[in-house]
Amino acid sequence: MTVIPFGAGVLAAGSVAYATFYQNSRIYGRIIARGSRGKMSLYLTFDDGPHPSATGRILEILDATETPAAFFMVGANVEKFSELARRVAACGQTVGNHTFHHQKLHLKGPRFIANELQQTHETIVRATDCQPGFFRAPHGYRNPFVSAVARRMGYASFGWTFGVWDTDQPGASEIRRRVRARLKPGAIILLHDGDGNDPRQDRSQTAEALPGIIDDAREAGYEFRPLAELVQA
Ligand SMILES: [Zn+2]
């Protein structure tokens, strides 16, 4: 008799953990984590910037190779490096909201979460003159309030298909190799052009890896597509 409630309790706790910590869980609202498996499309995303160590170089590479990407920006970094944020938007790349202080949101209440998103929204509008419509939670951690606040503000919420731990700075060729090894149709690829917590972090390895990442994907028959096409899909 005691086994059933115990099992149910474990299952419930497991479900909450899954919904909170798995960046693509749909339990806390619709989240876009991947495009169509039937198309050779890829979606590049850069989190935690903008930052002088990488964002400018990444923009030049994207421009030169006519590659679309999305930048989920940290509000505090937009404030600090507003000219870089402006350039991202001016280059026609997608700008997204990644909160202001990059704190994990899963234990926060609706007021804190709304402030984080709103403050970032206003900072991005001021810096770029464009209205961000995409949101990604720091570390992908969510709770029911996160999705509700994002939805109320008109945001589409994004997860990702795979990351490659480029923040560990394993070397540009290793970052390139890891991306190549995990390519799959419809993948939303998570890379980083900044850091949410440490302003001194260097993301130049990610920028250095990018031309090879783009070459490898195109050689394998993939096409980079703008994230916006997944919102209507
Ligand atoms: Zn982040």
Side-chain angles (χ1 to χ4, degrees):
M1 283 298 283
T2 53
V3 170
I4 292 164
F6 175 75
V10 168
L11 182 66
S15 300
V16 169
Y18 171 81
T20 304
F21 300 119
Y22 179 52
Q23 78 271 6
N24 302 330
S25 160
R26 288 169 174 257
I27 292 172
Y28 291 150
R30 179 164 196 260
I31 190 144
I32 302 166
R34 187 175 175 169
S36 164
R37 286 170 167 79
K39 287 188 187 152
M40 291 293 279
S41 301
L42 294 171
Y43 306 87
L44 271 179
T45 65
F46 295 92
D47 279 16
D48 302 349
H51 192 272
S53 69
T55 309
R57 179 77 192 112
I58 288 170
L59 283 175
E60 286 164 16
I61 295 162
L62 295 174
D63 226 27
T65 56
E66 296 182 28
T67 307
F71 292 75
F72 287 92
M73 297 183 180
V74 170
N77 290 341
V78 174
E79 207 164 67
K80 232 178 280 158
F81 308 114
S82 59
E83 175 57 23
L84 276 175
R86 192 197 61 74
R87 272 181 63 197
V88 172
C91 287
Q93 302 297 355
T94 302
V95 176
N97 185 329
H98 195 43
T99 75
F100 202 88
H101 297 102
H102 204 262
Q103 292 193 30
K104 292 166 184 164
L105 297 180
H106 61 301
L107 298 178
K108 304 294 186 186
R111 189 187 300 258
F112 181 95
I113 294 162
N115 280 344
E116 280 288 313
L117 269 70
Q118 187 62 37
Q119 205 183 344
T120 309
H121 190 91
E122 288 166 10
T123 307
I124 288 174
V125 171
R126 252 197 321 274
T128 68
D129 257 340
C130 79
Q131 302 273 343
F134 302 156
F135 168 73
R136 178 180 275 160
H139 307 277
Y141 289 8
R142 291 174 301 142
N143 64 21
F145 303 127
V146 176
S147 309
V149 168
R151 201 171 42 243
R152 198 173 63 231
M153 289 179 65
Y155 277 105
S157 291
F158 281 84
W160 59 91
T161 311
F162 69 85
V164 296
W165 295 276
D166 57 321
T167 47
D168 292 347
Q169 304 187 61
S173 58
E174 175 62 11
I175 293 171
R176 174 182 178 175
R177 190 197 65 75
R178 290 178 187 177
V179 173
R180 186 175 55 224
R182 301 197 64 182
L183 290 177
K184 59 188 95 169
I188 298 175
I189 303 169
L190 170 65
L191 294 166
H192 297 82
D193 67 322
D195 189 276
N197 306 105
D198 184 354
R200 294 160 306 175
Q201 282 290 349
D202 184 328
R203 297 286 170 254
S204 56
Q205 289 186 4
T206 301
E208 202 186 318
L210 187 57
I213 289 172
I214 294 169
D215 280 353
D216 291 344
R218 287 185 173 152
E219 257 168 45
Y222 288 98
E223 183 188 5
F224 288 100
R225 304 282 308 162
L227 209 53
E229 74 176 18
L230 299 181
V231 177
Q232 297 92 16

